[in-house]
Amino acid sequence: MKKNLLKFLFAGLLFAGSAQAQIQKGNVMVGGNLTNINLGLDAPNVFSIDITPKAAWFIEDNLAVGGYVNFGLETAKNSATTTSYGVGALGRYYAGKDVEVLKHGRFFAEATVGVGGVNVSNGGGNTNGLDLSVGPGFAYFITPNIGLETLVKYKGLVGFGSSTMQNNLNLSFGFQIYLPGRGTAKKVKGDMN
């Protein structure tokens, strides 16, 4: 019973410690964004979704680097299907606490670079090559370790295919889970002793 109580207290302290330090050096961010969710109810019954899982490590306080994978699909009855993909590196910087608008929110900037493409079936256009994006976002922490976010990004695709360049502006919504790294866990454990 006493061991279980100590484990519970340790977990609680770890959770509380991460509440103030979710974007601290050594921590890990895992989550993703959803873009362009569309379920058409009228003709031509368009369905589209774009999913982007992400993982990043905080190499400094407020600065994370990592990677992303992207998959998108848009289809409609009696129409061509558009498939998009991408994989690459990402960087994210969170603004300091001095520009905090909401008590549990932070502004951030995100940039990505990787390989990607957009391919349209039935002889439609396609572009495959260098995938770049950059834009601002806002994360609101609903718990000390979970942030809901919105992100507006310019996305450009430069390469080869029937079209050598595509660009657009995306609005996406998603969530991130912030996990404490070893350094944070050791600090909490040291604070307990």
Side-chain angles (χ1 to χ4, degrees):
M1 178 73 174
K2 201 173 196 182
K3 285 185 180 181
N4 287 337
L5 181 61
L6 284 174
K7 287 179 186 177
F8 179 74
L9 286 173
F10 177 73
L13 286 173
L14 184 62
F15 185 72
S18 65
Q20 300 169 358
Q22 64 265 49
I23 55 178
Q24 201 174 54
K25 181 179 179 178
N27 290 352
V28 178
M29 175 186 83
V30 179
N33 291 84
L34 300 171
T35 308
N36 223 8
I37 301 170
N38 180 5
L39 181 57
L41 299 176
D42 296 325
N45 296 330
V46 174
F47 170 77
S48 67
I49 190 165
D50 193 300
I51 301 170
T52 308
K54 302 175 184 181
W57 296 265
F58 285 88
I59 58 172
E60 294 292 329
D61 288 358
N62 300 332
L63 179 63
V65 294
Y68 73 95
V69 177
N70 172 260
F71 178 75
L73 179 68
E74 181 176 314
T75 184
K77 190 174 182 179
N78 301 323
S79 184
T81 299
T82 302
T83 306
S84 62
Y85 68 92
V87 61
L90 74 86
R92 186 179 272 201
Y93 178 77
Y94 288 82
K97 201 160 177 72
D98 53 330
V99 293
E100 188 176 67
V101 176
L102 297 172
K103 185 174 182 181
H104 300 288
R106 286 287 183 93
F107 284 104
F108 64 88
E110 182 177 284
T112 64
V113 62
V115 176
V118 175
N119 299 303
V120 182
S121 66
N122 299 330
N126 64 59
T127 304
N128 299 286
L130 182 63
D131 188 21
L132 304 164
S133 71
V134 63
F138 183 77
Y140 182 77
F141 296 96
I142 58 172
T143 73
N145 295 77
I146 299 175
L148 297 179
E149 62 185 38
T150 184
L151 181 61
V152 177
K153 287 173 74 172
Y154 164 79
K155 185 173 181 176
L157 182 60
V158 180
F160 53 90
S162 60
S163 176
T164 58
M165 184 170 179
Q166 291 190 19
N167 55 58
N168 57 32
L169 196 57
N170 281 348
L171 172 63
S172 64
F173 301 95
F175 71 95
Q176 303 296 332
I177 299 171
Y178 298 83
L179 304 171
R182 286 187 197 149
T184 304
K186 285 179 185 177
K187 182 179 182 317
V188 170
K189 190 174 181 180
D191 289 347
M192 279 183 53
N193 294 332

